Every structure is written in structure tokens, then in C-alpha cells.
Amino acid sequence: VQLQASGGGLVQAGGSMRLSCDVSGTFRSIHAVAWYRRSPGRQRELVARLLFSGHSPNYADSVEGRFTISRNAPMRTVYLQMNSLNPEDTGVYYCNAEVLRHGDYSPGVYWGQGTQVTVSS
């Protein structure tokens, strides 16, 4: 199972950016995909999580109403649309997937490489 994150970069405060996470490999199913971030001076935090079973996504309070997590199931891609960005959103964003491989009894957790998001004031 491989996760490839992309879409980071530099944006001005108030701007928007979309991150993508491609999940590839041979496996049975995806249980959930999430985005985490590590901001300067802070611990890694969960930004958004999407269950593939159809439940409503979960968001950190700090991004609720500004960020949207969604998926393109056939392409196994999960997006994080980030609007009204502010400097506090700066950090390295990581995608994380809970994937059930053939022969496994429970999903394993896999991480992609991080992508840097920098919001200038």
C-alpha cells in the first residue's frame, strides 16, 4: 500500500489550496483516509478524517467550515479542499489511510510523505 500526497505550496492568507492523496497498491478495501498536519511548535494533529462507509467526515475545530475532505472512489484519491487559509494553517500535511489487505483481519495504518503548506500573512 502506498500513499502519495501532493498539492502543497505557498498561498496568501485568505486563499485556497487543494491537497490530494492517492492510495495505490493491492488491497481489499479502504476503511478511512485522514489528513494530519504538523505545524511549527505544535504536535501533529488530526485535520480531517473520512470514513469510506458513508458516515459524515470529522474535522478539527480549527478547520471546521473552511476545509472539506472528499474522495474520488474509482481513482482511490482523497482530497482536502482548504479555503480561507490563515498563517496558523501552515505546516506539513500528511495523509493517512486505514487499509484492509487481502488476508488481514483488521485494517493496517499507512502514511504518505508530507506535503508542505505555507500560508503567508
Side-chain angles (χ1 to χ4, degrees):
V1 179
Q2 296 85 40
L3 278 66
Q4 180 70 43
S6 61
L10 175 66
V11 65
Q12 288 189 331
S16 298
M17 182 178 288
R18 189 177 79 163
L19 304 181
S20 299
C21 178
D22 296 314
V23 184
S24 62
T26 302
F27 50 84
R28 186 173 172 182
S29 62
I30 301 173
H31 175 68
V33 175
W35 286 95
Y36 288 76
R37 70 183 177 194
R38 187 186 300 277
S39 300
R42 300 180 182 179
Q43 292 185 334
R44 185 178 64 190
E45 65 171 332
L46 174 65
V47 175
R49 183 172 181 260
L50 178 67
L51 286 170
F52 275 37
S53 60
H55 290 76
S56 297
N58 297 317
Y59 296 96
D61 290 342
S62 59
V63 307
E64 182 81 51
R66 299 188 297 122
F67 290 12
T68 302
I69 187 170
S70 62
R71 68 176 176 131
N72 180 340
M75 299 298 292
R76 296 176 173 179
T77 301
V78 174
Y79 304 101
L80 184 67
Q81 177 66 43
M82 305 184 293
N83 299 327
S84 301
L85 285 161
N86 58 64
E88 288 70 36
D89 295 316
T90 294
V92 180
Y93 284 69
Y94 299 88
C95 63
N96 158 296
E98 299 165 40
V99 176
L100 183 66
R101 298 184 307 172
H102 296 284
D104 287 351
Y105 293 101
S106 60
V109 178
Y110 301 86
W111 290 88
Q113 89 291 359
T115 184
Q116 176 70 45
V117 173
T118 303
V119 184
S120 62
S121 56

